[in-house]
Amino acid sequence: MRAKASDMHGKDCVKVAVRVRPFNKRERDAGSRCIISMVSSSIIIQDPRDSQNRRSFCFDYAYWSHSGFTKDQGGLCVPEEPGGRYADQDSVFQDLGEGILENALQGYNATLLAYGQTGSGKSYSMVGYGPNKGLVPKLCERLFQAIRENQDSRQCQVFFSMLEIYNEQVIDLLSRGSRTPGGLRVREEQQRGFYVEGLRTVPCDSAPQVEQLMEQGTRTRTTAATHMNANSSRSHMLIILQLKQIFSKESITKQSNINLVDLAGSERQRSSGSEADRLKEGTAINLSLTTLGNVISALADVAVGKKVVHIPYRDSILTKLLQSALGGNSRTVMIATLSPADICYEESLSTLRYAERAKRIQNRAVVNESPTERLVKELKAENARLLQRLSRLGQEGRRANDETKELRQLLTHNELQIRAIQTLWEQHLQEALKDWEQQYANITQERRMMQMHPYILNINEDAQLSGVVKLFIQEGEWDIGLCDSSQRSISIKGLGIQERHAVFRNEERRVTLTPLAESKVIVNGHAVSQTTELQHLDRLILGSNCTYLFIGYPSERGGDDWSRYDYDYFQSELAAAEGIHLGGSSVGSIQADPSLLAVFYDYIKLIPMVAEANQMSQELNKAVEFGLEIKNLALSDPKGHDLEKEIVVRVTAIGRKQVWIWSKAKFVNRKFLMEEVYQQHQAEKSEENRVEGLSTAALPRDKDPFWDPVEPLLLGTAHLWLQSLAFRISLEEQLEVMGSEGTEEAILQAQLVPCTSTGLPLGEDDILIDPSELLGRRLDFQLVLDQCCGLRWIKEARNRGVQIGLFDSSQPLYTPAVWHNVNPLLDHRVHFTSLHTSQRLLDYLQSSAVVLELWGLQAFRFSRAQLFSESSAAGLGEAEECKRFTEKRK
């Protein structure tokens, strides 16, 4: 059962709700398995790799929205059966929204936080989609309904603000002017606490007006994200409703803030072990969420009686603005949203742990009195005192002209202040109504244009930001690009967009698109350079990642379902064009295995980021290229089992022919730092104040996110199977060294030679018919690496080198480095000894291989051998057996 909304008012603990969404298209296509179950208000999550590993969590509210629902004719999601377990939007609002509304009407500050990974349903729960309205619009409807129902007993005023926090900058989403460089400032006052200076606050008197302001804010957010090359999943959105209630009879004024917070996506980066980086990776990307977690943990410790010296509210913009919501003067609810899919196990478990800590926090909420109303009261009281003094002076008949004059001036000044304060609301409301009327006229005009002309519709990674921007293609010829001076131009902004990027032609109800010189245009996943006729629902990518859906003339539209053309669809098309796609029989296809599917979705997620990184590198003249690779796609372990696959980014310095391999986490964080450099460079460029030698485009190497010190690179591996040793038979092989993605990197000539303790090869008489004859006896053999042929790594750049590493030994062994030679002679020999051959070692020899690693060396002849000591004993097989091996070198 769910807790009732009335329960929320007895205590000031943070209440936590968890909601499980349905599978999305990506998860359905992948054949994902549901790993979350729910009993009453308890959530149970199962590790998909271990059915016995289950974790249970208990929360104040638990909503099952994964299954058991149907859509009515209007598109509203409702339970399949009356009283079914499916929790619709109304159920969530009754529990959470009604409680928040009651708190606000009582004069308390109220806060709702939505937390979860990108795509887990945060925005659906907060804002909703189509007829399935979320908490925010429902709350506004109920708020204005309550105001109308109680207008005889109180006068109410509602103010609306909407802001975004990205990269520790505050952006006013309702601002009518240009964006403030560096964002708005957050200040602190003793009475108000932390607040945003200069944030536009709009008075509202109806729910439709609030919805219109939200649409305006969303449009601004979409445009800003495109212009800043920002990802909305890394930004936080705050909606602030200020409610002021004036009770005339009781001479009481209550003022409360309703904070509705859609937090940034809480993706859990896949750990790369103890991977270190010379740059402060990740400190700015997830600073707000990390600090929020630290604040929640500290407050949770306080709640259980632990002594906490410091709560780090001041460490980020988000936690400053949420200080009252967390441990302060507010009644707070958190809704954590989950994907139930097995491929999202790590992220869902992380979200549940986060929410579990949050429910321990205790706040101290009080009813708020309006400071403005208090000022009016004080002015009226002072006027009453002034009138009494004037009256006494008149009765006494004293001649105190100067004093009387001064008192009358004070009286007049106070009355003017009172009148100004009381008329301010009406003035603000009139201004807001004019803005609203203008916005409504614009929307009406847009809807009329949609029924007359074809247009392109923006598609964003955040579904709430998709479909916000509509660019109409009227009859004739239209330039699209950065230019906005011409009357026949369509202005767009974004990374890689040229001044004149392409030309749309709308003639005889046919629309064509012609890319201009050096501009990047992709249609349906394929780059185009010639004039292309567009069809209804064609997918366009302009520049690095400005994604649009083409909508044809109304006669072409029919009843098509446009919703399937989401952001993932665009990226999947790009991946398919590169030979990577789900299902099918091609080399690059990926079957429905959870680990492989996770890799596939990492791949399509990184495609636009790599395109953006390449564009920034080009514009900043960095001469660095980025490309995606699937690590271990064609590689296996010593027993022939596939290695775990993951996405990595290959980074190439074009001029110097240097190469790095970055993990997904490292690339994502580095790209964020690249964006900072790029934005600073753009600001310098636009202000024309660049100082020679100090430009961000020419940062010192130790601060440049595009560059790393060179290091050895794993080029590929080869397997030399050990089975012949169990029979004491020599083996000579030409091994194909396979790269991570199945490319042939070289041919390695290697031998396994059974020998005596002094290194002399055994003869035919020493061959064994039955390997069990080796048990308990001494075994000596030599691994001989003769030559490496056809090194692709050296062919690409002659200043490079290679060395061979021996994997699966107690300590890594490496051949001496060789340089500049495509077919180097190695002539390297290692002698191994087992003094007592066990059954375990014998089994290992018959079923396993030596994995030989080919390492590429760069520029300054740094070799893998410098990283490891080769002086200690080494051998093959598992650690215990390896200790019995003694290495001998020739």
Side-chain angles (χ1 to χ4, degrees):
M1 293 177 63
R2 297 191 302 268
K4 295 180 180 179
S6 59
D7 296 341
M8 194 166 67
H9 307 141
K11 296 181 180 180
D12 288 341
C13 292
V14 171
K15 297 294 180 183
V16 177
V18 173
R19 191 178 192 187
V20 182
R21 65 155 171 78
F23 286 144
N24 58 26
K25 179 181 181 297
R26 182 184 78 181
E27 292 158 350
R28 289 194 302 272
D29 291 347
S32 294
R33 184 165 54 89
C34 180
I35 56 168
I36 292 178
S37 56
M38 187 180 296
V39 179
S40 186
S41 58
S42 294
I43 299 281
I44 300 162
I45 184 168
Q46 175 186 310
D47 187 338
R49 295 157 299 191
D50 180 4
S51 59
Q52 302 303 313
N53 183 11
R54 294 168 175 256
R55 290 288 307 275
S56 181
F57 300 85
C58 188
F59 298 100
D60 300 284
Y61 307 90
Y63 301 107
W64 182 261
S65 300
H66 174 64
S67 59
F69 67 95
T70 185
K71 288 186 178 181
D72 64 14
Q73 293 181 345
L76 186 67
C77 295
V78 294
E80 286 179 336
E81 301 176 359
R85 66 186 304 209
Y86 175 73
D88 58 12
Q89 298 283 60
D90 282 339
S91 302
V92 176
F93 178 76
Q94 287 169 13
D95 286 346
L96 306 183
E98 290 286 0
I100 288 171
L101 179 63
E102 276 190 49
N103 283 325
L105 292 172
Q106 291 174 13
Y108 294 100
N109 290 334
T111 301
L112 174 64
L113 303 168
Y115 180 85
Q117 71 178 109
T118 301
S120 62
K122 296 192 309 295
S123 296
Y124 179 80
S125 293
M126 291 290 282
V127 181
Y129 187 79
N132 298 284
K133 292 186 177 181
L135 284 162
V136 176
K138 284 180 176 291
L139 180 64
C140 293
E141 289 175 1
R142 284 285 295 111
L143 173 62
F144 286 103
Q145 181 183 337
I147 288 173
R148 289 192 298 272
E149 291 171 353
N150 295 284
Q151 59 186 357
D152 293 336
S153 61
R154 69 190 79 170
Q155 178 187 350
C156 294
Q157 299 172 355
V158 177
F159 294 87
F160 179 90
S161 302
M162 191 172 178
L163 62 91
E164 181 180 41
I165 301 173
Y166 174 77
N167 189 18
E168 289 301 286
Q169 295 183 15
V170 178
I171 303 164
D172 186 351
L173 296 178
L174 300 182
S175 174
R176 288 173 291 190
S178 59
R179 191 169 66 88
T180 305
L184 300 178
R185 299 185 65 178
V186 174
R187 296 191 176 275
E188 184 179 17
E189 273 187 8
Q190 186 173 0
Q191 295 295 327
R192 296 174 63 182
F194 289 105
Y195 68 97
V196 180
E197 183 181 49
L199 182 67
R200 188 178 180 215
T201 303
V202 181
C204 301
D205 63 355
S206 68
Q209 187 180 358
V210 171
E211 288 189 22
Q212 179 55 50
L213 288 168
M214 286 177 60
E215 186 174 332
Q216 177 187 340
T218 302
R219 185 182 296 270
T220 303
R221 191 182 185 199
T222 306
T223 306
T226 304
H227 181 58
M228 293 171 63
N229 187 36
N231 188 323
S232 64
S233 66
R234 290 211 304 260
S235 67
H236 314 282
M237 184 182 70
L238 280 73
I239 292 174
I240 304 169
L241 291 169
Q242 297 177 10
L243 173 62
K244 180 178 178 181
Q245 303 173 89
I246 303 170
F247 299 85
S248 303
K249 293 181 181 179
E250 298 88 345
S251 297
I252 294 174
T253 298
K254 296 178 182 179
Q255 182 167 305
S256 53
N257 286 346
I258 306 173
N259 300 306
L260 306 168
V261 188
D262 189 350
L263 294 169
S266 61
E267 282 68 46
R268 179 182 179 274
Q269 294 285 6
R270 290 187 180 179
S271 173
S272 52
S274 58
E275 177 184 359
D277 189 18
R278 61 191 174 83
L279 295 179
K280 49 169 191 174
E281 288 193 358
T283 55
I285 290 182
N286 291 317
L287 175 63
S288 293
L289 278 182
T290 302
T291 306
L292 181 61
N294 294 338
V295 167
I296 287 174
S297 294
L299 291 171
D301 289 342
V302 170
V304 296
K306 292 184 180 179
K307 184 177 180 180
V308 176
V309 177
H310 171 65
I311 298 174
Y313 290 115
R314 296 176 180 272
D315 288 1
S316 78
I317 296 294
L318 177 69
T319 48
K320 284 180 181 179
L321 297 180
L322 293 182
Q323 182 172 3
S324 64
L326 300 168
N329 177 24
S330 178
R331 287 182 167 167
T332 300
V333 175
M334 173 187 281
I335 180 167
T337 53
L338 304 175
S339 163
D342 46 8
I343 60 176
C344 297
Y345 168 73
E346 295 288 351
E347 289 81 1
S348 296
L349 180 60
S350 176
T351 298
L352 288 169
R353 287 171 173 161
Y354 202 96
E356 187 177 44
R357 292 200 305 272
K359 72 179 184 180
R360 302 178 198 160
I361 298 173
Q362 293 185 348
N363 292 347
R364 299 174 297 279
V366 296
V367 175
N368 302 291
E369 234 186 49
S370 167
T372 304
E373 193 63 25
R374 188 163 57 246
L375 176 61
V376 171
K377 286 181 184 177
E378 290 171 358
L379 288 171
K380 287 183 176 179
E382 185 179 357
N383 277 4
R385 289 194 299 273
L386 291 173
L387 286 170
Q388 287 179 356
R389 288 186 64 185
L390 284 171
S391 177
R392 283 200 301 272
L393 287 172
Q395 290 172 1
E396 293 171 1
R398 294 167 54 191
R399 293 184 178 181
N401 291 336
D402 291 342
E403 186 176 0
T404 302
K405 184 178 180 181
E406 184 180 347
L407 290 174
R408 290 192 183 281
Q409 285 177 345
L410 283 171
L411 189 64
T412 303
H413 176 72
N414 288 349
E415 287 176 346
L416 287 173
Q417 274 192 282
I418 293 170
R419 194 175 299 119
I421 291 170
Q422 290 176 337
T423 57
L424 195 58
W425 161 256
E426 285 79 7
Q427 291 175 0
H428 282 322
L429 186 58
Q430 288 302 316
E431 291 176 8
L433 287 173
K434 286 180 182 177
D435 282 351
W436 184 38
E437 288 169 359
Q438 180 61 48
Q439 291 288 331
Y440 185 78
N442 292 341
I443 290 173
T444 304
Q445 172 69 8
E446 183 179 88
R447 288 173 179 167
R448 187 162 54 246
M449 295 277 284
M450 289 168 63
Q451 299 306 315
M452 297 169 59
H453 305 288
Y455 58 94
I456 56 175
L457 190 72
N458 81 298
I459 302 297
N460 194 282
E461 183 177 7
D462 185 341
Q464 295 296 326
L465 302 186
S466 290
V468 174
V469 177
K470 302 174 184 69
L471 303 174
F472 295 95
I473 307 168
Q474 301 180 55
E475 289 186 0
E477 187 174 292
W478 297 83
D479 291 342
I480 185 167
L482 296 173
C483 60
D484 56 3
S485 54
S486 169
Q487 291 184 349
R488 299 196 68 80
S489 63
I490 301 172
S491 179
I492 61 173
K493 292 182 179 181
L495 198 57
I497 299 297
Q498 308 296 320
E499 191 71 18
R500 291 181 67 243
H501 197 86
V503 176
F504 283 108
R505 287 186 181 84
N506 183 353
E507 298 173 347
E508 299 178 355
R509 300 180 71 83
R510 294 171 60 247
V511 178
T512 61
L513 175 63
T514 305
L516 298 180
E518 298 184 1
S519 63
K520 182 180 177 182
V521 176
I522 294 175
V523 178
N524 301 335
H526 298 278
V528 297
S529 57
Q530 305 295 325
T531 298
T532 304
E533 183 174 349
L534 299 180
Q535 305 297 323
H536 177 54
L537 299 182
D538 274 351
R539 283 77 59 202
L540 314 180
I541 301 179
L542 308 180
S544 295
N545 196 33
C546 293
T547 49
Y548 297 95
L549 185 66
F550 174 71
I551 307 300
Y553 276 98
S555 59
E556 303 173 43
R557 296 172 193 172
D560 301 312
D561 179 16
W562 304 352
S563 63
R564 71 189 186 100
Y565 297 109
D566 58 7
Y567 190 78
D568 277 358
Y569 191 99
F570 279 66
Q571 307 311 324
S572 296
E573 277 191 326
L574 291 176
E578 296 176 9
I580 306 294
H581 54 84
L582 286 175
S585 57
S586 73
V587 174
S589 67
I590 293 177
Q591 304 302 322
D593 177 290
S595 62
L596 292 181
L597 288 168
V599 168
F600 175 75
Y601 291 118
D602 280 348
Y603 193 95
I604 65 172
K605 181 175 182 179
L606 289 181
I607 284 176
M609 299 179 71
V610 166
E612 290 164 0
N614 280 322
Q615 185 64 39
M616 287 188 284
S617 172
Q618 180 182 333
E619 292 190 28
L620 294 173
N621 297 319
K622 293 294 183 180
V624 174
E625 282 186 351
F626 300 87
L628 288 175
E629 291 186 358
I630 303 178
K631 183 179 178 182
N632 299 330
L633 181 62
L635 302 186
S636 55
D637 66 11
K639 293 186 178 295
H641 301 145
D642 287 346
L643 293 173
E644 183 178 353
K645 292 156 184 59
E646 62 178 294
I647 295 298
V648 294
V649 178
R650 186 182 184 91
V651 186
T652 306
I654 301 169
R656 300 187 299 273
K657 296 292 184 181
Q658 293 172 338
V659 180
W660 302 269
I661 297 294
W662 288 354
S663 68
K664 173 192 168 186
K666 182 170 183 174
F667 170 72
V668 169
N669 292 331
R670 280 296 182 87
K671 180 180 174 287
F672 183 82
L673 297 173
M674 293 174 202
E675 289 172 10
E676 289 185 326
V677 172
Y678 179 80
Q679 289 166 19
Q680 187 176 348
H681 172 70
Q682 292 298 98
E684 291 173 352
K685 186 178 177 182
S686 63
E687 294 170 10
E688 298 183 349
N689 64 351
R690 292 173 60 188
V691 180
E692 187 175 354
L694 295 179
S695 167
T696 51
L699 287 169
R701 283 283 173 85
D702 62 336
K703 298 183 183 298
D704 192 341
F706 290 86
W707 179 88
D708 259 346
V710 291
E711 57 187 19
L713 200 68
L714 179 62
L715 303 177
T717 62
H719 286 59
L720 183 59
W721 292 92
L722 303 171
Q723 188 176 17
S724 65
L725 293 176
F727 298 89
R728 292 205 299 212
I729 297 176
S730 295
L731 176 70
E732 186 174 349
E733 288 274 22
Q734 287 197 342
L735 305 173
E736 188 178 26
V737 181
M738 299 295 293
S740 184
E741 294 191 312
T743 56
E744 182 184 293
E745 297 293 332
I747 298 296
L748 179 62
Q749 296 176 6
Q751 300 180 56
L752 287 174
V753 182
C755 61
T756 66
S757 60
T758 59
L760 295 175
L762 298 179
E764 291 184 1
D765 294 341
D766 298 303
I767 295 176
L768 301 177
I769 303 300
D770 183 359
S772 63
E773 295 179 42
L774 269 179
L775 291 173
R777 298 170 62 181
R778 176 178 175 134
L779 172 65
D780 290 270
F781 70 91
Q782 291 182 347
L783 169 64
V784 183
L785 302 176
D786 294 316
Q787 187 175 12
C788 203
C789 301
L791 281 164
R792 193 161 72 97
W793 174 251
I794 307 294
K795 289 178 183 177
E796 292 173 354
R798 289 281 180 166
N799 64 340
R800 294 172 175 173
V802 295
Q803 62 183 154
I804 306 297
L806 175 62
F807 180 76
D808 196 38
S809 55
S810 59
Q811 281 202 331
L813 306 175
Y814 292 94
T815 65
V818 290
W819 292 83
H820 318 306
N821 196 337
V822 176
N823 305 301
L825 289 172
L826 301 175
D827 194 22
H828 188 74
R829 190 176 299 251
V830 184
H831 188 121
F832 294 95
T833 298
S834 173
L835 299 176
H836 182 86
T837 303
S838 66
Q839 183 65 51
R840 189 174 184 181
L841 176 59
L842 193 60
D843 292 342
Y844 182 83
L845 294 176
Q846 292 180 295
S847 63
S848 302
V850 177
V851 178
L852 301 169
E853 297 178 332
L854 176 63
W855 287 88
L857 310 179
Q858 306 184 60
F860 62 103
R861 300 197 178 196
F862 177 85
S863 69
R864 295 295 298 178
Q866 291 176 267
L867 299 179
F868 301 98
S869 167
E870 296 182 358
S871 59
S872 59
L876 301 177
E878 296 165 61
E880 296 175 7
E881 205 64 49
C882 290
K883 292 178 182 177
R884 302 182 183 180
F885 279 54
T886 305
E887 178 201 355
K888 295 182 180 179
R889 294 281 182 103
K890 253 192 182 180

